[in-house]
Amino acid sequence: MDDRIIKTEYSEVMQKSFIDYAMSVIIARALPDVRDGLKPVQRRTLYDMHELGIRYDRPYRKSARIVGDTMGKYHPHGDSSIYEALVVMSQDFKKGLPLIDGHGNFGNIEGDGAAAMRYTEARLEQITQEAFLADLDKDVVDFIPNFDETEKEPSVLPVKIPNLLVNGSEGIAVGMATNIPPHNLAEVIDATKAYMLDENITTRELMRYVKGPDFPTGGIVINQDELLEIYETGMGKIKLRGKVEVEKAKGGKTNLVITEIPYTMIGANIGKFLMDVAALAETKKTQDIVDITNQSSKEGIRIVIELRKDADIENFKNLLYKKTRLEDTFGVNMLAIADGRPETMGLKEIIRESVNFQYEVAARKYKNLLEKELERKEIQEGLIKACNVIDLIIEILRGSKDRAMAKACLVEGKTDGIKFKSGESKVMAAQLQFTEKQANAILEMRLYKLIGLEIEALIEEHEDTLANIYRYEDILARRDSMAQVIINELEEIKEKYKRKRRTQITNAEEAVYVEKQIEEMDIVFLMDRFGYAKTIDIATYERNKEAADAENRFAFVCKNTGKVCLFTNTGQLHTVKAMDLPFGKFRDKGVPIDNVSNFDSAKETIVYAASQSDLNLYRVIFATKQAMLKVVDGGEFDVAKRTVAATKLMDGDEVVSVVAFKEQRNMILQSKAGYFLRFPVEEIPEKKKGAVGVRGMKLSASDEIEAVYYSQNAVEQSIEYGDRMLELNKIKLGHRDSKGVKVRI
Amino acid sequence: MLANAEIKTMINAFGCGFSEGYGNDFDISKLRYDKIIIMADADVDGEHISTLLLTLFYRFMPELIYEGHVYIAMPPLYKAMPSKGAEEYLYDDKALEKYRKKHKGPFTLQRYKGLGEMDAEQLWETTLDPETRYLKQVEIEDARMASEVTEMLMGTEVSPRKAFIYKNAQEAELDI
């Protein structure tokens, strides 16, 4: 073993590796450059398409080719990240200004992804070529070697507009993230022009042009007053709402139609919104919703919420704003790379950086053009001069032995070895003094150039060149001139590509939802022996009293805002909101009580039901099979929970009877073996609901309580027992916890 | 974390258990290997993976590091192939600069973005062969520093991390 081991300290490796990774992600992956508003993957994809010549006026090309080419030449990372970047740059609902023209399934606003890259095709948009990729051949930006130094790529694209603002950006780096909303192209250009005319302009003044973000999804920004601070600091929260329209529907009903969603709802959040609205109805937050349908199509967003006739529409809208993401927050953090550093910038800084970049690009462009024109001028002057003395030049050429000899004569005036027709020619030839480049051009000149019209054309061309030189020198020398050139270009782009603002900017009151106060009234709760429950109004009940009492196991008055308590044989108490029960006609079937409460008819049976508000005034007696008795104050059952234990039971025991009572009574316990015990209920001790009862009757080993009756001393009351009638008051009055008497049948 | 199949496999391979949750049976004497070598791509994402693995070891099997069992492999970053003369592997950007100065003639440069770019033979030659490979041994001399750095870089608080990034931004070797 002969490892070459380098010892390293843990904390140093960690710090070094971490900072390398963090900075690489920050500078070269997740954050856009303030000058062109592009992340490296976007820049490389666009440049690659430019190099491949996939122009807007040429046919589409397979996305896979673009992705593969970009990956192989410039971006040695995953293909999916390149394709995703390409897809997003083509989505008009995501970008204010799509840069790529996609063909095929490029996904949709509801979050469905694009088709695989082997299916889709793409090409550049016209504006991308004109405002993002123009002049790349004029040395306007630095080119850097690619990852394996086999290609060159631009370090930044010569983008002519503040793309960072127009298209926005989002990205998560390490320890920081960026989130910049998109803006309106025309407004941003106007603001840029205003800045160029007065660099001391304030953010407030710039906002006369840029009123706020302009999301491709439209929507409404509702905190206009806070935008100034956001644009000054580059940070803050934009409050955004979807656009809701009210439509009249059949039968006097109203439909709320959401025609624009907040930008933040793009993707899976639309589905979530539908679920949230449905949940509002399910949890009874509102009773106003009849139905919700998503009718969005390629024409646009259209989410229809059908409302009840009497719905309070404003209040309902506020409920949506408050409880769903129809109102959402866009957390702005305008972080971008400037001078190789991540920086949070305000509106003005971003425009300034963009404008400075424009000047830089323009300076390089016109310097380059000027050099070319100066070269052209030199040659044109040479050719014009040559045409004037063409006979002499022909004489020199004919008299020279080789090209070098002729060139030496033209440039340096060396006439040695050249045969001239006359001495005069020789003297003149020595004075020609062409430059090197001119001499080359003359030697390569074609004879047809000597035709009169061609010479005129040459002179015209020379004049153009002189004019261009004058213009370029002026642009380079005077900032005003350069500014005018840039402004003209901006104007051109604006006129060609401007589009109406889609997002409304305003100030809106905070949404306040008032929960609807339901008028409290008495209604009648009905439940039949199959467990179907409903509520009806008192008048209906009175009219059908006889049938109602005969057909239903429970029928009692309760409040429509209150709850019904269900006591079960397992000692549980389930509560049901009267609201959750259908309120309707006497002949309506009702709903199974299982569906609206925790009660489970497969496991338990209902022993007793009562209105919760009434129980407050009563005391409740529990009796079980094992003769355990207790009295509980009714107020203890005034609980908010849907299920609580009403009494504690011994193993194998179950509740036989639960009754609420107010006045003095006697209780009669009847056992299976035929024993009856009558005693005053005052003998039963009062206990808490969680407690177990006390023994009410001495039972023999296999005996158990079968039935419980109550009687009042003054009232005669008989029960059918076996095949005869038994007068309850005739049973001997005893005491609790005795054996009772056997009644023979 | 233990839901991750790779991490489970790794812990099982080490044989020395795990100090928290799951088993709670860390026992360094049961370690099956003397050298645990982290081998990640020679780019910044590889570096990131190394920091994550180191954090895992530091938090849950610290003795591995304290006793010097953890190493980081050093795959080459470039391969220079001159038209004349022998090929040479270069392990970092400084070596490349040196090579450029020293080497006058034209040469082709291959940049290794991932270990996957090397065939088995090359990987053996450059990274695995104990005769010729370079290894970084990770050790902890300053325990308090180790703890502080781990907390700062991997902890839940964002602001110290951000401050660290701003402070050390200039020292980063970027991978663009």
Side-chain angles (χ1 to χ4, degrees), chain A residues 585-601:
Chain A
K585 300 194 183 84
F586 176 64
R587 283 294 162 204
D588 287 348
K589 194 169 182 205
V591 293
I593 198 82
D594 294 48
N595 293 2
V596 289
S597 70
N598 290 341
F599 172 71
D600 182 355
S601 58

Side-chain angles (χ1 to χ4, degrees), chain A residues 131-202:
Chain A
F132 284 62
L133 295 158
D135 299 333
L136 271 172
D137 56 341
K138 297 191 181 69
D139 183 40
V140 287
V141 292
D142 289 337
F143 275 69
I144 50 173
N146 72 335
F147 60 92
D148 62 0
E149 308 195 357
T150 55
E151 302 272 345
K152 294 261 181 186
E153 59 169 323
S155 57
V156 60
L157 291 184
V159 178
K160 294 177 176 166
I161 52 169
N163 180 48
L164 188 66
L165 289 172
V166 174
N167 263 329
S169 193
E170 58 182 322
I172 300 165
V174 179
M176 58 190 81
T178 187
N179 205 19
I180 305 170
H183 292 81
N184 186 283
L185 175 72
E187 290 179 5
V188 170
I189 286 179
D190 287 341
T192 308
K193 276 171 13 198
Y195 171 81
M196 289 176 73
L197 297 176
D198 173 15
E199 298 195 351
N200 293 320
I201 194 167
T202 62

Side-chain angles (χ1 to χ4, degrees), chain A residues 145-150, chain B residues 42 75-82 87-112 173-175:
Chain A
N146 72 335
F147 60 92
D148 62 0
E149 308 195 357
T150 55
Chain B
L77 208 52
Y78 300 101
K79 180 180 171 185
M81 292 169 281
E87 296 174 348
E88 212 173 308
Y89 292 106
L90 304 167
Y91 287 83
D92 55 30
D93 286 316
K94 275 180 208 140
L96 177 66
E97 251 169 65
K98 237 189 229 167
Y99 187 83
R100 277 186 204 287
K101 276 182 199 150
K102 207 174 67 186
H103 200 90
K104 287 284 176 278
F107 61 90
T108 319
L109 194 69
Q110 184 179 4
R111 165 91 203 253
Y112 289 116
E173 282 174 26
L174 294 188
D175 183 7

Side-chain angles (χ1 to χ4, degrees), chain B residues 20-152:
Chain B
E20 221 168 272
Y22 188 73
N24 221 351
D25 53 355
F26 185 77
D27 181 357
I28 188 84
S29 65
K30 289 190 183 150
L31 184 65
R32 294 208 205 125
Y33 305 93
D34 178 50
K35 287 194 177 70
I36 291 166
I37 304 173
I38 300 175
M39 197 159 89
D41 289 352
D43 60 7
V44 292
D45 295 300
E47 285 190 87
H48 186 219
I49 292 169
S50 300
T51 61
L52 295 176
L53 279 174
L54 282 175
T55 309
L56 174 78
F57 295 153
Y58 178 76
R59 289 253 170 97
F60 297 100
M61 319 172 180
E63 281 88 346
L64 288 185
I65 304 180
Y66 280 111
E67 297 191 5
H69 294 295
V70 178
Y71 297 81
I72 298 175
M74 295 176 65
L77 208 52
Y78 300 101
K79 180 180 171 185
M81 292 169 281
S83 43
K84 281 177 225 163
E87 296 174 348
E88 212 173 308
Y89 292 106
L90 304 167
Y91 287 83
D92 55 30
D93 286 316
K94 275 180 208 140
L96 177 66
E97 251 169 65
K98 237 189 229 167
Y99 187 83
R100 277 186 204 287
K101 276 182 199 150
K102 207 174 67 186
H103 200 90
K104 287 284 176 278
F107 61 90
T108 319
L109 194 69
Q110 184 179 4
R111 165 91 203 253
Y112 289 116
K113 286 300 294 184
L115 295 167
E117 269 170 78
M118 287 187 244
D119 56 38
E121 191 55 39
Q122 284 179 322
L123 193 64
W124 171 258
E125 267 174 43
T126 59
T127 318
L128 297 180
D129 183 2
E131 301 292 326
T132 55
R133 70 185 175 194
Y134 288 93
L135 287 181
K136 269 190 205 166
Q137 184 177 28
V138 181
E139 50 184 21
I140 297 180
E141 281 195 352
D142 188 340
R144 214 184 60 189
M145 185 76 175
S147 152
E148 278 171 10
V149 166
T150 309
E151 186 52 40
M152 171 182 69

Side-chain angles (χ1 to χ4, degrees), chain A residues 370 373-374 377 465-474:
Chain A
L370 179 63
E373 289 290 346
L374 285 172
K377 176 186 162 213
T465 304
L466 289 179
N468 278 342
I469 290 172
Y470 177 76
R471 193 169 143 246
Y472 296 161
E473 278 174 344
D474 177 58

Side-chain angles (χ1 to χ4, degrees), chain B residues 4-23:
Chain B
N4 183 308
E6 278 74 26
I7 288 183
K8 259 190 206 161
T9 314
M10 193 175 74
I11 292 167
N12 285 337
F14 290 178
C16 58
F18 196 67
S19 76
E20 221 168 272
Y22 188 73

